[in-house]
Amino acid sequence: MFCIPGVANTSHLKQAAAAGMQFVRIGVDITDVSPAEEFIPLAKELGLTAFVNLMKTNVLETEDVVDPVRQCVSYGADSVYLVDSAGSYLPFEVSELFHVVSDTVDVPLGFHGHDNLGLANANALAAASSGAHYIDATLDGIGRGAGNTSTEGFATVLHRQGAPTAPDYQRLAHLSESTIRVVPRLHDDRIYQVVGGLTRTHSSLFPLITRCAEAEGVDVFSLMAAVAEVDRVHPTEKLVAATASALAAS
């Protein structure tokens, strides 16, 4: 279960545990992990393994990631995931991130990457080589926005490296071809995803930025970059509108 406090509540967690769930992924923004404080102890009390997804890890500098991870560990998290929500990391940045964080906490770390810049698999490999115990991946990389690390692609990389426990990449590729590629997909606007990756802007903000850009007659991608310089985490509609107005006047 992917459990975002506020979307899910504690009764949902109890129901899922009663139905046989064995682990939970609690998702909180890295800029405010406090909502996890209620859910992690409850998950442990219910006998669940409690993972935490630090969504939007990419908005912080490496040195600022350590404290939120420590806070989740203090709540009792069994593992903490670092999340490239906008697909904006470069592999060397991921390596640095995992080296720094793994030196400061004892719990296993995981990586969840998106493919805005076409680097989800490369970043997953960098994470795995730099201290990550867990890597998220999906068949054909299917997922929100630009998608995620590709299961069959990452399995092939592990095989290429000679990993003794590498999954069967050929069976995974056949499974991906037969079950995922035949499914209709939502249109993925690549320019939005690419610029979002560059500016570290989460795709949930695209509609607001687009609406304000159209209202002021300014370039949506210039506005995206300008907003990101001010607040790429939780920009308000007022902020985005004011930034668009300033662009229009310049």
Side-chain angles (χ1 to χ4, degrees), residues 195 199 201 220-230:
V195 176
T199 60
T201 301
V220 63
F221 304 115
S222 297
L223 178 58
M224 190 182 296
V227 169
E229 290 182 3
V230 182

Side-chain angles (χ1 to χ4, degrees), residues 62-209:
T62 295
E63 60 271 17
D64 297 323
V65 173
V66 173
D67 282 345
V69 173
R70 284 177 173 162
Q71 195 171 346
C72 291
V73 173
S74 74
Y75 296 156
D78 293 302
S79 176
V80 178
Y81 263 77
L82 307 181
V83 182
D84 188 9
S85 298
S88 59
Y89 279 127
L90 302 179
F92 81 90
E93 294 172 319
V94 173
S95 292
E96 178 188 20
L97 176 68
F98 276 87
H99 280 304
V100 169
V101 177
S102 62
D103 283 345
T104 62
V105 295
D106 292 330
V107 300
L109 299 175
F111 177 71
H112 179 100
H114 283 262
D115 204 36
N116 296 60
L117 302 181
L119 293 172
N121 278 51
N123 286 338
L125 180 61
S129 302
S130 305
H133 287 70
Y134 304 105
I135 300 293
D136 281 357
T138 59
L139 289 173
D140 201 34
I142 192 171
R144 176 189 55 76
N148 302 105
T149 301
S150 157
T151 305
E152 63 273 23
F154 192 62
T156 306
V157 171
L158 295 177
H159 179 80
R160 173 75 186 276
Q161 286 191 320
T165 58
D168 188 331
Y169 66 93
Q170 292 189 33
R171 291 183 66 188
L172 286 168
H174 283 302
L175 183 62
S176 175
E177 186 72 29
S178 62
T179 64
I180 304 300
R181 292 210 161 192
V182 296
V183 177
R185 307 280 186 94
L186 293 174
H187 175 65
D188 173 26
D189 191 322
R190 282 303 292 156
I191 185 63
Y192 272 83
Q193 300 300 338
V194 168
V195 176
L198 178 64
T199 60
R200 295 191 279 177
T201 301
H202 194 274
S203 61
S204 63
L205 297 171
F206 293 170
L208 170 60
I209 293 172

